[in-house]
């Protein structure tokens, strides 16, 4: 099967499903490439499949590194509000031939893996001081 050009794949996905912005798909492509490279380094140069969990971990790491406290705002603009949305984007790209899939891959691999508020907002909130009264 011939690989689909990624730009063409995103255009095709957006024609039938405009829930997520094109920028979200391009970011996801970068995340997948990062996750594949990480796997390659860990396996001594061998190409290994990236699981949904591994992809989501790379997604979280890259969002925080690249966008920091603006992550949640940007994700909102992209239409991405939870890990399940990332999974839907992955499977949209699989459908048009831009991403590959193993027999074990399922959309449920992306459901409630982590809470966006917890990972993209909480690290940037000020730490509360213990304000107990002294009598």
């Amino acid at each position: 099967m011939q690989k689909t050009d990624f730009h063409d794949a995103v255009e095709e996905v957006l024609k039938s499903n405009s829930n997520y912005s094109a920028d979200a798909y391009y970011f996801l492509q970068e995340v997948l490439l990062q996750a594949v490279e990480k796997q390659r380094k860990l396996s001594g140069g061998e190409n290994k499949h990236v699981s949904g969990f591994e992809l989501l971990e790379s997604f979280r790491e890259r969002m925080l590194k690249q966008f920091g406290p603006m992550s949640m705002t940007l994700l909102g603009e992209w239409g991405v509000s939870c890990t399940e949305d990332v999974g839907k984007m992955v499977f949209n790209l699989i459908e048009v031939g831009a991403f590959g899939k193993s027999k074990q891959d399922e959309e449920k691999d992306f459901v409630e893996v982590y809470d966006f508020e917890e990972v993209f907002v909480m690290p940037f909130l000020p730490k509360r001081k213990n304000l107990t009264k002294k009598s």
Side-chain angles (χ1 to χ4, degrees):
M1 183 168 136
Q2 186 177 351
K3 276 279 193 200
T4 303
D5 174 73
F6 195 77
H7 177 75
D8 292 342
V10 170
E11 292 300 314
E12 190 173 334
V13 167
L14 292 176
K15 284 179 192 172
S16 61
N17 181 343
S18 60
N19 293 339
Y20 313 109
S21 81
D23 289 337
Y25 285 103
Y26 289 114
F27 181 79
L28 185 58
Q29 179 191 34
E30 292 173 13
V31 167
L32 178 62
L33 294 172
Q34 176 183 333
V36 166
E37 186 59 32
K38 186 176 183 178
Q39 278 287 57
R40 192 173 289 138
K41 285 179 184 175
L42 291 173
S43 67
E46 189 178 330
N47 281 334
K48 292 206 171 199
H49 180 72
V50 174
S51 71
F53 179 79
E54 291 163 333
L55 183 64
L56 285 168
E57 278 303 296
S58 289
F59 185 89
R60 181 186 60 77
E61 290 168 3
R62 186 163 180 122
M63 266 323 283
L64 290 170
K65 184 177 182 180
Q66 194 166 340
F67 302 110
M70 292 301 298
S71 294
M72 201 65 171
T73 301
L74 188 57
L75 287 164
E77 288 180 19
W78 289 348
V80 180
S81 62
C82 60
T83 58
E84 188 174 353
D85 287 333
V86 176
K88 288 177 183 175
M89 289 171 40
V90 166
F91 278 84
N92 288 342
L93 291 168
I94 289 169
E95 269 185 41
V96 296
F99 281 6
K101 161 184 173 337
S102 77
K103 291 179 184 177
Q104 292 80 25
D105 291 333
E106 298 180 294
E107 281 191 60
K108 72 178 185 175
D109 298 340
F110 293 88
V111 176
E112 296 180 6
V113 175
Y114 51 75
D115 179 84
F116 271 30
E117 187 85 16
E118 192 174 300
V119 298
F120 297 123
V121 175
M122 299 297 280
F124 301 103
L125 294 179
K127 305 287 185 244
R128 289 185 174 214
K129 293 183 180 181
N130 188 355
L131 300 176
T132 56
K133 288 185 181 180
K134 291 185 179 182
S135 322

